Amino acid sequence: MARGRPPAFTRSQVVTAAIRVADSEGLEAVTMRRIASEIGAGVMSLYTYVPDREHLADLMVDTAAGEFALPEITGDWRADLLALLTVQRELMRAHPWIPSVLAGRQLAGVNLLRFLEHGLRALEPAGLPGVTRMTLLGLFTGFVTAYVTGERAGRTDARDGAEQIAAAVTSGEFPLLAAVLAEGGDPDLDFARIADWVITGLVDRAAAG
């Protein structure tokens, strides 16, 4: 019995090419035509591997999530959740397009499910019902998404408005702002501190009922 021609490419190659384009040019650059060009395939043949751009975006997030090892569970729910949120931040910083994909959609790739399972296990010692733990994990991911988006916007704004900010601070009209900016800070330590506030506050409130 004659067999059809084997596929010239793999789904993994398609997804990897899409991630490469998104990392360098942004998610808006990821079109079926562009990815087909990247791997040297016909546009219509790309639909053999992914049915549409939305499905491709889901696969991109899940594949990117697989690049990061999950931290060890220690039994200290605060420390374990902070470690998990730190990995999420690293993932989103490495792939700045991920927050825009996560917004308003539910993803269920195997790597993302591993993140979810890990979070549920990390929260077990807090003694909360499973549904509550699921809700909290969604809130934590939302916090990281917003935080990383703010970090990125802050870096852009800082470059674009550096002269205006410098002039405002040295004018003496904004002493409190000048004092805050003079304090500086470590971005990683700042994230850890704020993430701990969010984790502790939400979990303690949930436990209180």
Side-chain angles (χ1 to χ4, degrees):
M1 181 176 179
R3 297 183 178 181
R5 181 183 300 175
F9 305 97
T10 65
R11 175 179 287 183
S12 177
Q13 287 175 301
V14 173
V15 174
T16 298
I19 291 174
R20 184 171 60 249
V21 170
D23 285 347
S24 61
E25 301 176 39
L27 188 64
E28 63 280 358
V30 178
T31 64
M32 300 299 271
R33 182 176 299 278
R34 173 63 187 279
I35 303 310
S37 175
E38 285 288 315
I39 65 174
V43 176
M44 296 310 297
S45 70
L46 211 63
Y47 292 95
T48 304
Y49 309 99
V50 289
D52 52 45
R53 185 177 181 273
E54 292 300 302
H55 188 68
L56 175 58
D58 292 347
L59 293 172
M60 289 166 62
V61 176
D62 195 62
T63 298
E67 299 171 2
F68 289 79
L70 291 167
E72 180 182 354
I73 295 288
T74 67
D76 179 340
W77 60 263
R78 283 180 60 182
D80 289 342
L81 286 172
L82 178 56
L84 179 61
L85 268 58
T86 299
V87 172
Q88 287 184 323
R89 176 175 176 248
E90 291 171 356
L91 168 63
M92 295 181 199
R93 284 164 62 93
H95 302 287
W97 47 270
I98 286 182
S100 62
V101 178
L102 292 179
R105 67 202 300 167
Q106 184 174 356
L107 305 177
V110 64
N111 291 315
L112 292 175
L113 290 178
R114 288 194 183 103
F115 269 79
L116 178 59
E117 179 74 12
H118 188 93
L120 290 171
R121 184 173 293 113
L123 262 173
E124 272 190 315
L128 299 170
V131 173
T132 301
R133 282 183 280 154
M134 286 279 287
T135 300
L136 288 172
L137 291 173
L139 292 172
F140 295 148
T141 298
F143 157 71
V144 178
T145 300
Y147 193 94
V148 172
T149 300
E151 282 187 304
R152 187 181 182 195
R155 289 194 297 271
T156 301
D157 292 344
R159 290 194 297 269
D160 294 343
E163 291 184 5
Q164 293 91 327
I165 292 174
V169 168
T170 56
S171 70
E173 188 177 354
F174 307 99
L176 295 180
L177 176 60
V180 170
L181 294 177
E183 292 176 5
D186 182 303
D188 295 333
L189 292 178
D190 289 343
F191 172 78
R193 184 178 68 257
I194 297 169
D196 185 60
W197 294 345
V198 172
I199 291 167
T200 305
L202 287 176
V203 174
D204 285 351
R205 185 65 186 87

